[in-house]
Amino acid sequence: VQLQASGGGLLQTGGSLRLSCAASGFNFRESSIGWFRQAPGKERERVACIRASDNTTSYADSLEGRFTISRDNFKSTAYLQMNSLKPEDTAVYYCAADTLWRLCRTSTKGHGMDYWGQGTQVTVSS
């Protein structure tokens, strides 16, 4: 099982990035995918989730509509489009997978998610 997160980088306030999460070794089509992040000195927090069956999405309220999660089942890849980035978005971003939509949608820290990627660093300078 592998979840490979990529696409992070260093950019200025207001910029955009698209993170990718390439999956292998499990049934991606039947798994809900979540993006989580952990900033220095803070606990991990849920950013967004997308359901397997119908691409229903769920976002953290704090994002104010700036991020969009999507998935391509043919490529077994999920994405996180991040716009209008702010310094407070600086964190390591992780993708995770689980067959339970409820778990991804309600778990504020991602506890219990079956599979995790290694994380990709996003740094937003002011």
Side-chain angles (χ1 to χ4, degrees):
V1 172
Q2 189 172 17
L3 286 169
Q4 183 74 35
S6 62
L10 171 64
L11 67 165
Q12 294 184 331
T13 297
S16 297
L17 273 180
R18 188 177 81 155
L19 306 183
S20 298
C21 175
S24 62
F26 66 97
N27 194 333
F28 181 85
R29 290 174 179 267
E30 294 188 3
S31 298
S32 294
I33 304 297
W35 285 97
F36 297 81
R37 67 185 181 184
Q38 187 164 17
K42 296 186 177 181
E43 293 185 317
R44 187 172 63 202
E45 63 177 354
R46 185 178 67 92
V47 175
C49 291
I50 185 166
R51 188 158 65 180
S53 59
D54 60 1
N55 288 345
T56 295
T57 56
S58 175
Y59 296 92
D61 293 339
S62 61
L63 297 179
E64 302 171 325
R66 298 181 294 118
F67 292 9
T68 302
I69 189 172
S70 61
R71 63 190 295 159
D72 184 336
N73 287 339
F74 292 102
K75 296 182 178 180
S76 295
T77 301
Y79 304 96
L80 184 68
Q81 177 67 44
M82 305 186 296
N83 299 325
S84 302
L85 283 161
K86 305 175 181 180
E88 50 264 43
D89 294 318
T90 294
V92 178
Y93 284 71
Y94 301 90
C95 57
D98 199 279
T99 54
L100 295 177
W101 165 242
R102 174 180 55 79
L103 182 63
C104 188
R105 182 174 59 83
T106 62
S107 178
T108 56
K109 297 179 178 60
H111 292 316
M113 297 287 286
D114 282 339
Y115 309 122
W116 287 87
Q118 86 291 356
T120 185
Q121 176 71 48
V122 174
T123 303
V124 184
S125 63
S126 57

